[in-house]
Amino acid sequence: MKAIVINEFGGPEVLKIVNLDTPSISTNQLLIRVEATSVNFADIQTRQGTYHAAGKPPIIPGLDAAGIIEAVGSDVKGFKVGQRVIAFPKTGSYSEYITADENLTFAIPNNVDFRTAAASPVVAFTAYKLLADVGRVQPGETVLIHAAAGGVGTTAIQLAKILGASCVIGIVGSENKVSTAIEAGADHVICYEKDEFAPKVNELTNGKGADVILDSISGKVTEKSLDCLAMYGRLVNFGNASGDFGQFITKDLHASCRAVLGFSLGTTRNNRPELLREPAKWLMSYLAEGRLNMKVGKSFKMEEAAEAHRLVESRKSTGKVLLEMNK
């Protein structure tokens, strides 16, 4: 089989296509022929050697995939050969074949195509957990989403509305991303190139602030987010794309009954995979019903993985970027 392998950390040029043996499966695993896989910012960090779960080269990057089951282990009960699935693989997804544990594999509804399915696992599972379980969004609340034009951002905007938020405010880094966040359903979009976001959020909420804030940027963005977090609000950090680390003063939390929370989908997949079963049920039904629309910004051939990385790393992409194996 063909796969993209990182033999040394570095720039996009270290992504090389190599021929490898098709992997074997254990009794509780499935062998899946990959149709498409998404490109996530964690893949950039893996390539650079800065992702916390990257390991050491040689590495096949990639966190999720959509494809068709080619073989099932003897202990697998819920799947069969030929079934269409999404999965979080054991050892990377930039590959023609992957292996995945049964409890990290989920059936694709019949009316959902592979592109939509491949765009959904990391961003949709992350967004759902951030909003429903960690941020505990309640009907009528205001949700603020940083990086609102990206894969998680455009998905979280939609899910916030599905879960009952009355107002969703998106923050984007450039004017050309405003329309993407609006198309996803944001009620207001703030471009931090033009405006300081915290005063603007407070103005939009009549001084109350946002009840739930999703922050994948960290650093100064986290610190400024506390300036527009409502009483009893929840700030959920799930990344540090800025490369910096924010700080806060403890009394700014307890006096206002506010909370700063953290979430990692990777940690959850590795340590508490059972926590993804319930989100999968809801997310697959939302996709099947057309209530959740996955925004695919651009797709590339497997051989164009370096180009895909350059696009994501430039922060000029919107929606999800995909690698399609049969494109």
Side-chain angles (χ1 to χ4, degrees):
M1 71 172 189
K2 291 181 180 179
I4 300 290
V5 175
I6 299 169
N7 285 308
E8 60 179 335
F9 295 130
E13 68 279 358
V14 305
L15 299 170
K16 304 294 186 182
I17 289 190
V18 300
N19 287 307
L20 300 174
D21 292 335
T22 301
S24 57
I25 56 174
S26 64
T27 58
N28 67 334
Q29 291 183 325
L30 305 100
L31 178 67
I32 300 166
R33 175 167 51 84
V34 176
E35 292 287 329
T37 178
S38 69
V39 179
N40 297 283
F41 195 77
D43 303 345
I44 308 300
Q45 295 175 312
T46 294
R47 193 198 72 226
Q48 295 170 336
T50 59
Y51 184 52
H52 65 92
K56 296 180 180 180
I59 300 168
I60 299 175
L63 301 176
D64 58 11
I68 300 171
I69 296 174
E70 293 280 314
V72 298
S74 57
D75 292 337
V76 172
K77 305 300 182 186
F79 296 96
K80 61 184 179 180
V81 171
Q83 198 167 0
R84 301 162 69 249
V85 294
I86 55 172
F88 297 103
K90 296 294 288 183
T91 55
S93 60
Y94 291 19
S95 177
E96 290 183 319
Y97 291 90
I98 61 171
T99 61
D101 290 346
E102 182 178 16
N103 63 0
L104 287 172
T105 303
F106 309 92
I108 300 172
N110 291 333
N111 63 337
V112 176
D113 61 65
F114 278 123
R115 278 169 57 91
T116 298
S120 68
V122 164
V123 297
F125 281 73
T126 298
Y128 187 92
K129 291 294 290 183
L130 292 172
L131 290 164
D133 297 339
V134 184
R136 305 185 308 281
V137 64
Q138 301 298 309
E141 289 191 321
T142 295
V143 175
L144 170 63
I145 299 167
H146 289 290
V152 173
T154 53
T155 306
I157 289 169
Q158 297 175 71
L159 285 174
K161 290 295 187 73
I162 291 172
L163 295 171
S166 61
C167 178
V168 178
I169 302 171
I171 310 294
V172 297
S174 60
E175 279 291 318
N176 64 350
K177 294 186 176 184
V178 170
S179 60
T180 299
I182 290 175
E183 289 169 6
D187 298 290
H188 307 280
V189 181
I190 301 168
C191 176
Y192 64 71
E193 280 185 338
K194 292 180 57 180
D195 298 297
E196 287 285 339
F197 71 84
K200 193 72 173 177
V201 171
N202 288 328
E203 178 185 335
L204 290 169
T205 58
N206 296 316
K208 176 187 175 185
D211 299 291
V212 177
I213 298 178
L214 305 187
D215 165 33
S216 61
I217 311 299
S218 197
K220 294 297 181 183
V221 167
T222 299
E223 296 170 5
K224 292 179 180 180
S225 292
L226 287 168
D227 294 335
C228 58
L229 183 63
M231 296 274 286
Y232 294 90
R234 289 83 67 199
L235 169 62
V236 187
N237 177 264
F238 62 105
N240 66 320
S242 68
D244 295 325
F245 301 94
Q247 298 182 357
F248 58 88
I249 300 171
T250 54
K251 71 179 179 64
D252 288 343
L253 299 181
H254 68 78
S256 58
C257 299
R258 299 184 300 174
V260 175
L261 302 151
F263 177 74
S264 165
L265 183 65
T267 299
T268 303
R269 291 196 312 269
N270 291 332
N271 295 282
R272 299 286 297 276
E274 70 277 5
L275 296 180
L276 300 182
R277 188 58 55 184
E278 184 72 8
K281 180 183 72 173
W282 289 108
L283 290 168
M284 292 303 104
S285 67
Y286 296 154
L287 288 172
E289 295 164 5
R291 299 178 67 190
L292 177 62
N293 298 300
M294 303 308 302
K295 167 71 174 177
V296 176
K298 192 167 184 178
S299 65
F300 294 85
K301 299 176 183 178
M302 184 181 182
E303 295 82 359
E304 299 171 326
E307 187 178 345
H309 270 226
R310 290 187 184 98
L311 177 60
V312 173
E313 198 167 4
S314 73
R315 302 187 188 280
K316 294 180 180 179
S317 62
T318 57
K320 287 302 298 177
V321 174
L322 301 181
L323 296 180
E324 295 190 67
M325 302 307 163
N326 300 309
K327 185 175 179 180

